[in-house]
Amino acid sequence: MTDPLHRELLALAEEAARRAGELLKDGRPADLTVAATKSSPIDVVTEMDIAAEKLITGLISDHRSDDGFLGEEGASSEGGSGIRWVIDPSTAP
């Protein structure tokens, strides 16, 4: 990947993943609560999933405010840059 845009996007994705991973590792409470269910009673959304998605979208938006998002936990925006980030945080061990 030699294109400057690709390098910028990769670095930002890596930073977002690192920060979300730290949040999920260090912030996960012993009594992790289920915030909602999706397609079935065992397809759960935890408060940590929501927090991780919010962290990721916030970090990316700070650097690339015109990009769009499609997040498993609900983040959705088209953006205007032609770039759309797909986000699927998970607190599964």
Side-chain angles (χ1 to χ4, degrees), residues 25-89:
K25 182 179 77 121
D26 299 338
R28 183 180 178 137
D31 61 342
L32 186 63
T33 59
V34 172
T37 58
K38 291 184 272 190
S39 61
S40 73
I42 60 170
D43 188 10
V44 300
V45 177
T46 68
E47 295 294 334
M48 293 302 293
D49 294 331
I50 295 167
E53 185 170 290
K54 189 173 183 175
L55 181 149
I56 293 167
T57 57
L59 177 69
I60 293 170
S61 291
D62 287 348
H63 290 87
R64 298 193 45 87
S65 60
D66 288 337
D67 289 0
F69 295 99
L70 176 60
E72 184 182 31
E73 311 313 338
S76 181
S77 66
E78 291 295 321
S81 69
I83 294 173
R84 192 168 195 198
W85 298 79
V86 179
I87 302 163
D88 181 7

